[in-house]
């Protein structure tokens, strides 16, 4: 029953016992000795004799209730405790054990009331405070549980296990410094307290104190080299610290001790996958599932590995198996959405992201990925809303700012796009694609001089960024700087000779300098690469018209209008 000792035979407020009481007490003592050997049924027979011998002796009814509780009959135990209290309403031990029986019956409110009654009659009953804390933890009332544990420790500061339990609830509240201090106090009192060093390590890990976490796990293993849970925990930490080889060693050590340890098997797969050994990782997950087909961790990580291996249909099936076992795993819904998106089933992907968000409304990644799926379906306004929700959940979410800016640009809301790209660059100054897209948005907003600076920033980060060279050339042309435009466009074509738009842009810049033959050649090269490029037909028509080649010019204009009826006419 938790971390406290059930009261078995506390004295009541009786005075000098009668002869019958003495005979009953002797029966109770014998029953207690037998029950300690693990035979509550035999003990109960002696307690029944004690009740028949001294029917008004509260302790006899208390001991009888204890045996009944041990035999799994809390209702009968409650009746026995009630009888004890009828004979002595102030019997704190009976109130306390009545609380235990109520707790075991799932009657949490009645249990708490019984423990309060015990404390009312015996304020220094530390076990009643501890039991109250345990019930409050089950109810999720952790702050109240902390207060109960602290009161228990005021009564008995040397109770190591209570310090440890206080550490557990403080850790659940993410009050990591206080939790670690409680674990340290527990270990100072009882250095061999099972599991506490491992819990201390987990607390330091969750607080980001990885060196302290590793030290705690290693300390646990120094005391007990066969502590498989600490071995696995240390392996998980090493994996998180980017040491998959060290993690692999730990997990194999754990499996050598316990070959059926599912956590070790799954985490070994994770360590192998981090090393790029995907097939070996898949084998580990399969082995874990052979031992436990209901392991959501094994199914989930198998799905991740299958996705890494490009086996998308199998990955989909694994994620669906996870969700059959536990439909409330938001990450499984979200990752299923990723798989469905890669399979081209964008609407189904959006549905999966939506289910992830229903389970975890603060899942920024799911909001972002839903935005991508909606954008892929042309639903730009809903995509914008999803990206904004992702940013609300995580204001520093780079990809969400970038996706939002892209969607706004597609909607023609260039001021919003510019703001989004600037924020993406602020978060990650070396984000060349964001600098490039910022330049495009500035260009579309007619802010060509500013766009030049953005394209140059992109090229400073990625000198071989052909798109940025081409866009810079186009911006120079719009600013009437043909020499710089030609240089940028030629560099774009050096990096990627098959860029039809760069060829026709180069042709236009050459025409502005009167280099007509070169201009015609550039436009014709553009059309040889992409005969359907309306801009190239239009631009070639302009050059041919200027040199008197009217029939061919008309043919190219006609072709441009057929491809794109709203093509430019200058």
């Amino acid at each position: 029953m938790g971390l406290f000792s059930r009261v078995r035979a506390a004295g009541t407020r009786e005075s000098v016992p009668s002869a019958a009481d003495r005979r009953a007490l002797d029966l109770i003592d014998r029953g207690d000795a037998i029950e300690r050997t693990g035979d509550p049924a035999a003990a109960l027979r002696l307690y029944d004799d004690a009740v028949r011998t001294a029917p008004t002796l509260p302790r006899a009814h208390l001991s009888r209730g204890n045996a009944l509780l041990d035999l799994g009959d809390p209702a009968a135990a409650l009746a026995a405790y009630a009888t004890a209290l009828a004979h002595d309403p102030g019997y704190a031990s009976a109130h306390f054990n009545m609380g235990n029986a109520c707790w075991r019956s799932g009657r949490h409110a009645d249990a708490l009331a019984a423990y309060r009654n015990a404390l009312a009659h015996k304020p220094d009953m530390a076990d009643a405070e501890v039991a109250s804390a345990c019930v409050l933890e089950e109810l999720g009332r952790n702050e109240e549980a902390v207060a109960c544990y602290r009161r228990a420790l005021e009564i008995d500061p040397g109770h190591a296990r209570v310090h440890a339990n206080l550490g557990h609830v403080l850790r659940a509240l993410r009050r990591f410094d206080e939790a670690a201090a409680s674990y340290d106090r527990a270990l100072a009192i009882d250095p061999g307290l099972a599991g506490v060093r491992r819990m201390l390590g987990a607390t330091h890990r969750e607080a980001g104190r990885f060196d302290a976490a590793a030290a705690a796990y290693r300390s646990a293993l120094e005391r007990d080299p066969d502590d498989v849970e600490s071995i696995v925990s240390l392996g998980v930490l090493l994996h998180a610290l980017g040491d998959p080889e060290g993690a692999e060693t730990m997990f194999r050590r754990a499996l050598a001790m316990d070959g059926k340890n599912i956590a070790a098997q799954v985490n070994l797969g994770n360590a192998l996958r981090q090393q790029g050994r995907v097939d070996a990782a898949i084998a580990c997950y399969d082995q874990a599932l052979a031992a436990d087909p209901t392991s959501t961790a094994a199914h989930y990580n198998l799905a991740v590995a299958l996705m890494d291996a490009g086996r998308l249909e199998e990955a989909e099936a694994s994620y669906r198996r996870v969700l059959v076992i536990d439909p409330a795993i938001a990450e499984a819904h979200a990752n299923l959405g990723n798989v469905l998106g890669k399979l081209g089933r964008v609407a189904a992907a959006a549905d999966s992201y939506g289910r992830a968000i229903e389970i975890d409304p603060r899942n920024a990644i799911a909001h972002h990925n839903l935005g991508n799926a909606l954008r892929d379906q042309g639903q730009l306004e809903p995509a914008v809303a999803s990206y904004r929700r992702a940013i609300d959940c995580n204001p520093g979410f780079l990809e969400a700012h970038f996706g939002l800016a892209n969607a706004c640009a597609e909607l023609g809301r260039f001021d919003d796009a510019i703001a989004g790209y600037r924020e993406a660059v602020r978060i990650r100054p070396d984000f060349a694609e964001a600098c490039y897209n910022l330049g495009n948005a500035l260009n579309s907003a007619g802010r060509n001089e500013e766009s030049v600076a953005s394209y140059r920033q992109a090229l400073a980060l990625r000198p071989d960024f052909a798109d940025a060279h081409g866009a810079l050339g186009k911006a120079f042309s719009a600013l009437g700087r043909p020499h710089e435009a030609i240089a940028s466009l030629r560099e774009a074509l050096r990096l990627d000779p098959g860029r039809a738009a760069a060829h026709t842009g180069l042709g236009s810049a050459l025409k502005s300098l009167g280099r007509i033959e070169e201009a015609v050649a550039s436009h014709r090269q553009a059309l040889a690469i992409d005969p359907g490029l309306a801009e190239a037909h239009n631009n070639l028509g302009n050059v041919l018209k200027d040199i008197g080649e009217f029939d061919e010019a008309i043919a190219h204009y006609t072709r441009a209008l057929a491809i794109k009826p709203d093509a430019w006419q200058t």
Side-chain angles (χ1 to χ4, degrees):
M1 297 295 294
L3 300 180
F4 51 90
S5 299
R6 186 182 64 196
V7 176
R8 301 203 56 82
T12 68
R13 290 176 291 183
E14 302 162 40
S15 56
V16 177
S18 67
D21 288 346
R22 287 195 296 273
R23 289 195 299 274
L25 290 169
D26 179 64
L27 290 167
I28 292 168
D29 289 341
R30 288 162 54 196
D32 289 349
I34 290 172
E35 191 167 1
R36 281 192 290 271
T37 68
D39 190 354
L44 179 60
R45 289 191 289 273
L46 289 169
Y47 298 144
D48 286 340
D49 288 344
V51 167
R52 284 190 290 271
T53 302
T56 62
L57 183 66
R59 182 175 163 188
H61 294 284
L62 173 72
S63 296
R64 184 171 180 275
N66 293 345
L68 288 165
L69 194 59
D70 285 344
L71 288 167
D73 191 349
L78 282 168
Y81 296 139
T83 304
L85 289 168
H87 295 298
D88 182 358
Y91 195 1
S93 299
H95 285 293
F96 175 77
N97 284 2
M98 179 173 277
N100 294 346
C102 289
W103 182 14
R104 187 174 293 188
S105 301
R107 294 163 51 186
H108 294 87
D110 290 339
L112 289 171
Y115 295 139
R116 281 195 296 273
N117 286 335
L119 287 163
H121 294 289
K122 189 177 181 184
D124 64 347
M125 186 181 251
D127 280 350
E129 293 285 9
V130 174
S132 296
C134 292
V135 174
L136 290 164
E137 280 189 80
E138 284 191 8
L139 294 172
R141 293 158 60 179
N142 287 336
E143 291 288 358
E144 294 172 79
V146 167
C148 288
Y149 283 131
R150 292 201 189 282
R151 284 195 293 271
L153 290 168
E154 288 174 4
I155 298 165
D156 181 6
H159 199 318
R161 180 56 70 179
V162 177
H163 282 290
N165 238 33
L166 175 58
H168 299 336
V169 70
L170 289 167
R171 179 182 164 211
L173 289 166
R174 302 187 66 78
R175 290 158 60 177
F176 298 125
D177 290 346
E178 294 174 79
S182 289
Y183 289 135
D184 283 336
R185 281 191 287 273
L187 291 168
I189 296 165
D190 182 357
L193 198 58
V196 174
R197 293 175 195 275
R198 184 173 64 254
M199 292 299 101
L200 177 59
T203 301
H204 285 308
R205 176 175 56 81
E206 290 164 9
R209 299 189 290 262
F210 300 121
D211 289 344
Y217 292 137
R218 294 188 194 282
S219 175
L221 291 171
E222 285 174 8
R223 295 193 68 87
D224 181 4
D226 296 330
D227 181 357
V228 172
E229 288 188 63
S230 289
I231 294 170
V232 173
S233 295
L234 180 55
V236 170
L237 177 64
L238 292 171
H239 185 198
L241 291 173
D243 181 8
E245 292 82 7
E248 178 186 352
T249 298
M250 290 294 110
F251 298 135
R252 291 195 187 281
R253 175 178 164 186
L255 287 166
M257 297 176 185
D258 178 6
K260 295 182 179 180
N261 190 300
I262 302 299
Q265 194 72 56
V266 171
N267 281 299
L268 174 59
N270 294 346
L272 293 169
R273 183 165 56 84
Q274 190 178 9
Q275 296 175 57
R277 297 156 62 187
V278 178
D279 289 342
I282 289 171
C284 282
Y285 302 135
D286 285 338
Q287 191 170 343
L289 289 168
D292 180 5
T294 66
S295 170
T296 55
H299 282 296
Y300 181 92
N301 286 293
L302 174 60
V304 174
L306 290 167
M307 194 171 177
D308 288 347
R311 294 159 59 180
L312 299 179
E313 291 82 2
E314 294 172 83
E316 177 188 354
S318 287
Y319 281 128
R320 292 197 185 281
R321 280 191 285 272
V322 172
L323 294 168
V324 167
I325 298 166
D326 186 352
I329 299 179
E331 291 81 0
H333 285 289
N335 282 6
L336 176 59
N338 295 343
V339 172
L340 293 169
K342 287 181 179 291
L343 287 169
R345 292 152 58 188
V346 182
D351 288 342
S352 287
Y353 296 134
R355 283 192 286 273
I357 290 164
E358 287 175 7
I359 296 164
D360 180 8
R362 299 294 297 173
N363 189 324
I365 293 174
H367 283 295
H368 167 262
N369 289 352
L370 176 58
N372 289 346
L374 292 168
R375 183 174 160 224
D376 288 344
Q377 296 176 82
Q379 299 181 47
L380 294 177
E381 289 291 0
V384 165
S386 288
Y387 291 131
R388 291 197 188 281
R389 283 191 286 270
I391 291 166
D392 286 341
C393 296
N394 179 5
F397 194 170
L398 171 69
E399 291 81 359
H401 286 287
F402 189 63
L404 173 62
N406 289 337
C408 288
E410 291 174 37
L411 285 166
R413 287 155 45 181
F414 297 115
D415 287 344
D416 288 339
I418 289 165
Y421 291 131
R422 288 199 192 282
E423 182 61 15
V425 173
R426 185 194 68 77
I427 294 168
R428 183 179 147 194
D430 65 345
F431 193 179
E433 289 79 4
C435 295
Y436 166 71
N437 284 8
L438 173 59
N440 291 344
L442 289 164
N443 188 57
S444 297
R447 295 159 63 176
N448 294 318
E449 198 69 61
E450 292 175 78
S451 76
V452 167
S454 290
Y455 293 136
R456 282 180 166 158
Q457 186 177 356
L459 290 167
L461 296 167
R462 266 183 55 191
D464 62 347
F465 197 165
D467 284 340
H469 283 291
L472 180 57
K474 185 176 179 180
F476 281 136
S477 290
L479 290 167
R481 294 155 64 177
H483 292 288
E484 291 166 283
I486 289 168
S488 291
L489 291 163
R490 288 198 191 283
E491 181 61 15
L493 291 167
R494 183 189 70 78
L495 293 166
D496 183 3
R499 303 177 69 82
H503 280 291
T504 195
L506 177 60
S508 296
L510 290 166
K511 175 181 177 288
S512 71
L513 292 174
R515 295 160 62 176
I516 302 302
E517 290 184 7
E518 293 174 82
V520 169
S522 288
H523 292 312
R524 292 195 190 281
Q525 182 62 33
L527 290 169
I529 295 167
D530 183 0
L533 185 60
E535 180 184 9
H537 284 290
N538 188 74
N539 290 346
L540 179 55
N542 290 340
V543 181
L544 293 169
K545 177 189 65 149
D546 288 351
I547 61 175
E549 299 289 344
F550 298 115
D551 290 343
E552 189 178 359
I554 289 169
H556 282 289
Y557 287 140
T558 301
R559 180 64 177 145
L561 288 167
I563 297 167
K564 186 177 178 183
D566 61 345
W568 44 95
Q569 298 296 310
T570 57

